[in-house]
Amino acid sequence: MKENFFRSMTWLHTWVGLLVCWVLLLIFFAGTLSYYRHDISLWTKPELHKNVIQSYDASLIEPELDKAQQYLSQHAEGARDWRISFPTDRKPYLSYSWQTQPEAGQRRGKFIEHVVQKDQEQLITDVRQTKGGNFFYRLHFDLHYMPAKIARWIVGFCTMFMLIALISGIVIHKRIFKDFFSFRRNKGSRSWLDAHNVSSVLALPYHLMITYTGLVTLMAMYMPWAVITAYDGDSKTFSKELRPSRVQVKPIGETADTVQLTSLLPQIHEILGDTPIRQVVINNPGDRNSRVNVYKDTGETVTDRRTAIVFNAVDGKLMNSGVEPDSGAQNTHDTLIALHTGRFSAPALRLLFFVSGILGCAMIATGTLLWANKIRQKQQKQLKQGNKTTLGLRLVEGLNLTFIAGLPLAASAFFYANRLLPLDMVNRAQWEANSFFLVLVTLGVIACFKRTLSVWRAVLALSGLSLIAIPVLNALTSDSNLLSNMSQGQWSLAGFDIICSIIGLSLLFARSKLSQRHKQPAKRQHDAPRTGLPLGSSAMNKEA
Amino acid sequence: MFSLTFNFKPLFNSEKFNITSRALAAIFAGYLTAATGSALLAIVIPLAPVQSTLTAMMLSFSIYTAAIIWVFSVKSHLVAWRDLLSLSGVFYLLIKLIG
């Protein structure tokens, strides 16, 4: 293609990286936040901040299960399923939830969750309508405002681009170690290149892992050909052999009483031993064809296999003791999925995943800033002659401003909307999501007219300040605050406030860096801009 | 008569056409190679069907990646098309032969 392999790969790296980098940035950003999905969800429901947070207590399981069954049979008759969730590290409260029968034309029914207070007596039923952490989780692979299936193909397409960008990036990096130790500050595009290299190399194993395992999570959709060939297109048989306990049963329409759940406990304990129970799910309650699925808390097991112990919900007969075919391929697959989701990871490791995710965002952002910077330098001559920059460059710079500077601000808008929108608002949860996208759209419009450094600084300052103020927002709009949460050891709530503030501070730091470089002596103005600014400041200002 | 006198050669050899052709080869011929490759692996890996299928699916993205890198490293875009299409053709024939 080009003169040699090295050149071809450099070309490939630039273009596959550039073409989809803003979608990738959105995916990476949302995915990184998803490591704290449950913590975000808890934060977005201040109704649950007091008197519900508790830890698992094996001695209480029997009365709790009994109460849950009574409650659900009273309040959730005719539901599609009942779920009793016991407290875990990630979701530290006891809740009863159910899914209503889907309405005509819908695949899923409505999900309703009632949370039990610590005293085991009162239930909190009136929790604000919010998408919570699930918004970011879904955004990560379902995007928004479009059918999930199309979104997943787009995400898969972009992920494949990412994989190619990573592989070609490694190939062109002959001097990977030397580059790694030579960060040159304030050297224009050279600094952006160094920053790009550092953020890529530092977390390279993570980047490769997260990209490949991302494809693996949805491989049945992207690459069904192995199943189609080996099973003659019968994917049902395949999944049945793969996960016997996950076979869905359909109701047959005959009513039958559900077995007393507590009567199953001796058998459950025999199988699980001391392993905590995470959730009990009853499919098709009240139907003759109903099942009780008991999920154990897999805690820190690396293979992410959510295998249920399955009982017949009418006669209580054990149908699957939660043992699934154990094979190298399956263990590999489950481990790959677990690596992607990080469900197994203890707090410190999860933080490391989170930081690696941020480094991934930095890798993508520095890459595209680097491109914009280089192209702007190339167009210096034309600019001096009073010509306009090319459409491509303007597009890239505009998208950079919208996504790189805009995503933290959009996320912060989501959290503010969560707390400030009226509680009885129609479609409240959707409006939280809308506020996220409204920020991006607004910035996009601004970027069409003005992409100068001052806009960057304003956006960074705004997102920095609004994120730093998150603990204040939390204190004003909920019963608890950062200090009380810390003193009560409610670290998922306190952690949310702290992480937001830290990110806010670093955005302000980035903003101050931009101002400093902006003030550099004017005598170098005739050089190609040597500043490490996103937009090559001197040229930008002239044009503006 | 326009179509007869139109000279395709410059277009055919142009950089734009070259890149478009390679991109299409990477995306579609690459996918075809990965699809047939993983389908073939699913029936030739000597494991239980569930395991060989799962392994083949997990490996399919490596095949895809290798195919794409191949497309952008060979001298001519026609070579890229030729290689990937014949490779997936061979895979397909083998599947028909074995399966």
Side-chain angles (χ1 to χ4, degrees):
Chain A
M1 129 139 253
K2 302 276 163 191
E3 311 80 276
N4 57 40
F5 180 66
F6 184 77
R7 290 263 171 145
S8 301
M9 287 300 117
T10 310
W11 180 90
L12 185 63
H13 180 72
T14 308
W15 284 100
V16 287
L18 190 68
L19 281 174
V20 296
C21 66
W22 301 283
V23 184
L24 276 178
L25 190 62
L26 183 75
I27 298 171
F28 246 78
F29 180 79
T32 304
L33 289 184
S34 298
Y35 288 128
Y36 291 101
R37 164 157 74 124
H38 295 305
D39 308 75
I40 295 175
S41 289
L42 188 62
W43 190 91
T44 54
K45 294 170 187 164
E47 294 82 2
L48 304 183
H49 289 191
K50 273 246 162 95
N51 297 328
V52 296
I53 297 179
Q54 52 179 315
S55 45
Y56 187 81
D57 186 346
S59 64
L60 290 175
I61 294 300
E62 193 166 346
E64 282 175 351
L65 205 54
D66 199 32
K67 255 184 206 160
Q69 188 170 12
Q70 277 180 31
Y71 189 86
L72 285 166
S73 49
Q74 274 171 23
H75 292 85
E77 212 184 336
R80 199 178 191 188
D81 59 31
W82 293 346
R83 305 166 198 203
I84 305 153
S85 311
F86 294 102
T88 62
D89 284 348
R90 296 281 163 99
K91 253 183 124 176
Y93 51 83
L94 172 67
S95 74
Y96 312 147
S97 52
W98 61 94
Q99 195 192 162
T100 60
Q101 295 292 347
E103 284 167 38
Q106 281 181 323
R107 264 187 70 229
R108 276 187 223 125
K110 231 173 99 183
F111 182 76
I112 298 166
E113 183 175 46
H114 289 180
V115 179
V116 185
Q117 288 201 353
K118 247 183 181 167
D119 59 11
Q120 313 289 333
E121 297 300 329
Q122 303 276 310
L123 267 99
I124 299 174
T125 56
D126 199 17
V127 179
R128 70 186 55 200
Q129 219 197 53
T130 175
K131 284 188 187 288
N134 278 338
F135 169 68
F136 296 102
Y137 176 68
R138 287 278 156 202
L139 181 65
H140 172 57
F141 57 93
D142 278 354
L143 304 177
H144 210 85
Y145 303 120
M146 67 170 82
K149 203 154 193 186
I150 298 174
R152 287 176 193 190
W153 273 106
I154 296 175
V155 170
F157 193 77
C158 296
T159 314
M160 211 49 225
F161 268 64
M162 173 93 182
L163 189 57
I164 299 299
L166 284 174
I167 304 285
S168 52
I170 295 169
V171 170
I172 60 179
H173 250 299
K174 293 175 181 164
R175 302 179 308 153
I176 204 159
F177 283 102
K178 199 177 165 214
D179 279 354
F180 180 63
F181 290 108
S182 54
F183 182 69
R184 282 147 288 197
R185 286 170 52 202
N186 297 337
K187 287 275 182 344
S189 63
R190 187 68 235 183
S191 297
W192 283 114
L193 181 59
D194 289 347
H196 183 60
N197 289 340
V198 168
S199 54
S200 313
V201 176
L202 202 58
L204 186 61
Y206 173 85
H207 299 322
L208 281 170
M209 177 279 283
I210 209 73
T211 311
Y212 203 90
T213 53
L215 290 164
V216 169
T217 52
L218 292 174
M219 67 183 183
M221 180 182 172
Y222 301 143
M223 285 284 178
W225 309 104
V227 182
I228 287 172
T229 311
Y231 284 82
D232 284 331
D234 186 3
S235 60
K236 279 223 174 92
T237 311
F238 173 67
S239 30
K240 209 168 159 184
E241 280 181 36
L242 191 64
R243 313 238 179 261
S245 76
R246 278 195 214 170
V247 177
Q248 290 279 321
V249 287
K250 290 226 165 76
I252 49 173
E254 284 175 47
T255 50
D257 283 335
T258 306
V259 68
Q260 189 68 30
L261 291 176
T262 44
S263 72
L264 305 173
L265 274 173
Q267 289 186 75
I268 297 172
H269 284 313
E270 203 172 300
I271 297 168
L272 288 186
D274 288 338
T275 315
I277 304 169
R278 182 167 59 91
Q279 199 179 36
V280 177
V281 178
I282 299 109
N283 302 121
N284 318 322
D287 191 271
R288 182 158 289 283
N289 208 9
S290 166
R291 299 276 183 277
V292 179
N293 305 279
V294 180
Y295 295 90
K296 63 179 177 188
D297 187 356
T298 45
E300 292 170 11
T301 336
V302 176
T303 44
D304 190 24
R305 185 174 293 166
R306 282 169 297 165
T307 309
I309 303 169
V310 187
F311 296 95
N312 183 314
V314 177
D315 57 18
K317 228 179 77 192
L318 182 68
M319 309 192 73
N320 187 313
S321 53
V323 183
E324 281 188 346
D326 190 35
S327 71
Q330 262 151 297
N331 287 337
T332 309
H333 174 258
D334 294 342
T335 305
L336 289 180
I337 303 293
L339 282 172
H340 191 86
T341 55
R343 285 199 188 98
F344 63 92
S345 53
L349 184 57
R350 195 147 58 118
L351 191 63
L352 190 66
F353 267 60
F354 181 74
V355 172
S356 303
I358 291 181
L359 280 173
C361 296
M363 167 177 73
I364 300 167
T366 49
T368 171
L369 289 171
L370 171 65
W371 189 89
N373 207 325
K374 272 196 170 163
I375 298 302
R376 185 166 272 281
Q377 281 181 19
K378 268 190 195 159
Q379 294 179 8
Q380 273 305 304
K381 248 192 185 157
Q382 290 174 319
L383 287 175
K384 275 187 190 143
Q385 289 161 3
N387 289 332
K388 271 192 122 182
T389 45
T390 55
L391 177 68
L393 180 62
R394 272 176 283 156
L395 187 70
V396 168
E397 286 180 348
L399 286 167
N400 280 351
L401 176 64
T402 312
F403 281 91
I404 298 172
L407 280 175
L409 188 63
S412 138
F414 178 88
F415 298 135
Y416 278 81
N418 168 264
R419 291 302 177 82
L420 300 178
L421 291 178
L423 291 179
D424 54 354
M425 187 174 181
V426 185
N427 266 339
R428 184 176 197 279
Q430 182 54 44
W431 274 102
E432 287 175 0
N434 290 348
S435 19
F436 179 91
F437 291 105
L438 272 176
V439 168
L440 288 184
V441 169
T442 312
L443 271 180
V445 172
I446 293 174
C448 289
F449 300 103
K450 210 171 171 207
R451 300 175 296 278
T452 55
L453 209 61
S454 56
V455 181
W456 274 86
R457 282 213 306 272
V459 176
L460 286 178
L462 195 60
S463 21
L465 289 175
S466 69
L467 281 172
I468 288 173
I470 286 274
V472 182
L473 175 75
N474 184 30
L476 291 177
T477 55
S478 78
D479 296 336
S480 61
N481 58 51
L482 180 57
L483 296 176
S484 71
N485 285 331
M486 278 163 81
S487 65
Q488 285 165 27
Q490 296 188 349
W491 287 106
S492 55
L493 292 173
F496 183 94
D497 284 0
I498 294 171
I499 288 186
C500 279
S501 307
I502 292 176
I503 292 175
L505 278 174
S506 37
L507 290 175
L508 284 191
F509 176 73
R511 183 200 160 274
S512 73
K513 274 291 182 200
L514 288 190
S515 328
Q516 272 177 21
R517 289 181 201 177
H518 187 53
K519 282 178 203 143
Q520 268 168 6
K523 62 177 181 180
R524 314 248 337 200
Q525 224 175 29
H526 293 296
D527 297 356
R530 60 184 285 275
T531 47
L533 305 169
L535 305 165
S537 66
S538 49
M540 201 65 227
N541 291 340
K542 239 184 253 170
E543 194 196 9
Chain B
M1 281 296 103
F2 174 76
S3 59
L4 282 181
T5 50
F6 188 80
N7 189 358
F8 282 102
K9 247 196 167 156
L11 172 76
F12 199 65
N13 290 330
S14 76
E15 180 73 6
K16 263 186 196 161
F17 185 79
N18 178 13
I19 286 170
T20 314
S21 165
R22 276 186 208 258
L24 292 175
I27 293 169
F28 294 107
Y31 186 84
L32 196 64
T33 314
T36 49
S38 83
L40 179 64
L41 279 177
I43 54 174
V44 296
I45 296 177
L47 289 171
V50 184
Q51 294 188 46
S52 62
T53 306
L54 207 55
T55 312
M57 284 166 97
M58 289 191 282
L59 286 175
S60 61
F61 303 107
S62 317
I63 305 175
Y64 201 176
T65 310
I68 294 173
I69 298 287
W70 183 254
V71 167
F72 285 96
S73 58
V74 292
K75 276 226 167 73
S76 146
H77 58 108
L78 292 174
V79 175
W81 278 105
R82 186 198 68 196
D83 289 353
L84 292 191
L85 288 181
S86 21
L87 194 60
S88 20
V90 170
F91 286 163
Y92 183 74
L93 285 178
L94 284 172
I95 294 168
K96 286 284 150 198
L97 224 76
I98 302 168

